[in-house]
Amino acid sequence: MSTFPQPEGQILPPHDPPGAYIAEDAPAPRRSARSILSAPGTYVLVGINCAVFLWMVLHGVDPASPTPGQLIHFGANVPALVLHGQWYRLLTATFVHVGLIHLLTNMWCLWNLGLLGEPLLGPWGMVAVYLLTGVAGNLLSLLINILMRDFVSVGAGASGAVFGIAGILIVLLSNHKLPIPTFELRRLRKSVMQFAGLNLVIGLATIVMPVIRIDNSAHVGGFLSGLALGVPLVPRMTSGRARYLARQKVTFAVAALLLALFGHWIANLR
């Protein structure tokens, strides 16, 4: 999640990009080539982000340094506008980026985490986690901005959702009943934890040394919501595809309801 004029949420990719696992009914682990068919949800999300950025550039946006007005025009998050009814910005902002470097950094992270997470979540599950955690991060950012009486900051970027995917992976990879060797589970989980921890520390460090502006509240909100989404899914991961997908639907529906209630509460803080 970024705020003009300096990109917020510039996050580092996982240092050890893991290979993809295909989840069958159990789900069953087997190595798969990195193709669109192996992780369609991830590639769709990356494609939408890139398409939005291309659309912006084709309409005259500077690919290196978009103006605040341009970011707002294409759906960035602005507290004042959100509170005046434009709640869709909590979602659209997750697909808007502050420059090419910001886009490439977030897409590299999304691609790596998506290839690991999608076999555990499924294509629709991956898309749902991206949207829900991205909105959750923006809601927490909105709350902090209101408390700080800042109604004009412009935020954009997929990094809140990327942190959300990292959060849910940390929880899902703690399930030792998965048909994956224990040492491999630990390695993958450690890699994701290091990724999340390092980037959270970098974000917090920018409070003291503001080299770039990072919306830490969006990162934290995305990460915590990802952790929360993973908890009810773990018991059903190895109980069969039908039960697991049913648990996903309930979990994501409840999460969407809770986010709507949280947003309603925020709207009435004024």
Side-chain angles (χ1 to χ4, degrees):
M1 179 57 55
S2 303
T3 298
F4 187 88
Q6 294 175 312
E8 290 185 357
Q10 296 281 27
I11 52 182
L12 301 178
H15 73 280
D16 185 16
Y21 284 100
I22 298 295
E24 303 293 347
D25 196 51
R30 58 183 176 88
R31 292 288 180 174
S32 173
R34 293 193 171 193
S35 67
I36 293 178
L37 294 179
S38 68
T42 299
Y43 282 95
V44 166
L45 290 171
V46 171
I48 293 175
N49 276 279
C50 292
V52 169
F53 187 76
L54 179 61
W55 181 39
M56 292 170 61
V57 172
L58 292 177
H59 284 77
V61 175
D62 186 340
S65 56
T67 66
Q70 290 171 334
L71 294 172
I72 293 171
H73 176 74
F74 286 97
N77 186 25
V78 186
L81 296 180
V82 171
L83 293 174
H84 282 83
Q86 298 182 16
W87 291 89
Y88 64 86
R89 292 183 179 275
L90 298 175
L91 178 61
T92 58
T94 64
F95 295 100
V96 178
H97 287 83
V98 188
L100 182 61
I101 294 178
H102 188 212
L103 172 73
L104 293 178
T105 303
N106 280 341
M107 292 306 98
W108 175 247
C109 296
L110 174 60
W111 182 68
N112 278 286
L113 290 173
L115 290 181
L116 171 61
E118 188 161 337
L120 300 176
L121 289 164
W124 292 109
M126 175 58 62
V127 173
V129 170
Y130 178 97
L131 298 178
L132 289 170
T133 59
V135 170
N138 285 337
L139 274 172
L140 184 58
S141 177
L142 176 65
L143 174 61
I144 298 301
N145 284 331
I146 291 174
L147 296 177
M148 299 295 293
R149 311 305 297 176
D150 178 4
F151 298 97
V152 297
S153 290
V154 181
S159 52
V162 170
F163 270 98
I165 295 171
I168 197 170
L169 282 179
I170 289 173
V171 177
L172 296 184
L173 290 172
S174 67
N175 187 349
H176 296 293
K177 293 183 179 180
L178 289 172
I180 301 173
T182 302
F183 74 89
E184 182 71 356
L185 274 177
R186 290 177 178 172
R187 184 186 72 82
L188 294 175
R189 189 165 184 260
K190 181 179 178 180
S191 178
V192 177
M193 292 177 67
Q194 289 176 339
F195 155 78
L198 175 60
N199 285 287
L200 286 173
V201 168
I202 290 175
L204 293 174
T206 61
I207 298 176
V208 180
M209 299 178 293
V211 179
I212 59 174
R213 296 187 61 192
I214 294 181
D215 191 348
N216 290 290
S217 54
H219 291 183
V220 172
F223 183 67
L224 293 178
S225 62
L227 293 174
L229 285 175
V231 173
L233 298 183
V234 170
R236 285 288 183 266
M237 291 182 70
T238 56
S239 61
R241 180 179 179 82
R243 291 184 178 180
Y244 182 49
L245 292 180
R247 177 62 63 87
Q248 278 193 359
K249 292 176 182 178
V250 173
T251 298
F252 297 153
V254 171
L257 176 61
L258 291 177
L259 289 177
L261 293 175
F262 186 40
H264 179 73
W265 177 74
I266 291 175
N268 288 280
L269 279 179
R270 299 175 298 166

